[in-house]
Every structure is written in C-alpha cells, then in structure tokens.
Amino acid sequence: MKTQINTAGLSTERILTSTTREAIRLLNGKKDINHLDIGSGNGELIRLIKANIQTISSACDYTEDLMELDGQKVDVCDLNFDSLPYLDDTFDLITFTEVIEHIE
C-alpha cells in the first residue's frame, strides 16, 4: 500500500513564514542576533527575519546570482563538496530551508 502525503498546504511562503515565526519564538526578544541563512536564494527569509528580529544576517548559497536584497553579501559554498566557511559558535540563529533536497 502506497502512503500519500498531502502537500497541498505547503508553499515556499508558508515555510518561510513558519520559520520566521519559530525564530521569533525561540529568540524571545533578544537583540543583535547573528543569523546565517544557508541556501539563501533570493534573500526572502533574510528579509522576513530582519523585519521581525534585530539581526545581522549572513547569506550562504551555491551562487550569489540569486540574491535580490541590496547590499546582502553571499558567501558561495557548494555543500556537496565544501565545508561552511564559518568558525564554530559564530551564529545565534541558523536557518536552512528548502536546501536538503538539492544536496547529493
């Protein structure tokens, strides 16, 4: 018997909104948060988080060509071959949405 998964309610917007809501809950009003968004794409999650939490956000993706946020630097890293280019204990919040399915 094949199990069916209902994905009708899933969308990128819902995932990013839910991730932002959970970050707000977990950080509970903390300020000056160092945030890393892995698989940052066009920067939409960074934009949502910055609108709700006082953060310094870093972006990491396989290319910088997708980023649409003015002034947002992207650290290029191919997670199939490279380690993340950051020291341990650098970030207070790390987000990683819609990425794992692209990693071999």
Side-chain angles (χ1 to χ4, degrees):
M1 184 170 141
K2 197 173 191 182
T3 303
Q4 295 249 319
I5 298 172
N6 181 2
T7 58
L10 294 179
S11 70
T12 298
E13 182 179 350
R14 278 185 84 169
I15 291 167
L16 299 182
T17 301
S18 294
T19 301
T20 302
R21 189 172 30 252
E22 185 64 9
I24 293 166
R25 186 188 71 76
L26 289 171
L27 295 170
N28 196 25
K30 292 180 184 170
K31 306 241 187 268
D32 299 321
I33 299 299
N34 286 313
H35 167 229
L36 170 62
D37 187 30
I38 300 171
S40 55
N42 66 6
E44 184 60 18
L45 182 55
I46 291 173
R47 186 191 66 74
L48 284 170
I49 287 181
K50 281 182 168 265
N52 290 280
I53 304 169
Q54 188 176 343
T55 62
I56 299 164
S57 292
S58 296
C60 183
D61 212 322
Y62 74 98
T63 180
E64 60 188 2
D65 295 339
L66 303 171
M67 182 54 65
E68 295 177 2
L69 294 177
D70 288 338
Q72 180 64 58
K73 178 183 175 277
V74 177
D75 298 312
V76 176
C77 177
D78 183 339
L79 294 178
N80 286 307
F81 305 103
D82 305 323
S83 297
L84 290 171
Y86 310 104
L87 297 174
D88 290 349
D89 300 320
T90 300
F91 300 101
D92 306 298
L93 172 67
I94 298 173
T95 51
F96 184 80
T97 58
E98 300 192 80
V99 174
I100 198 74
E101 67 273 19
H102 301 288
I103 306 228
E104 293 180 24

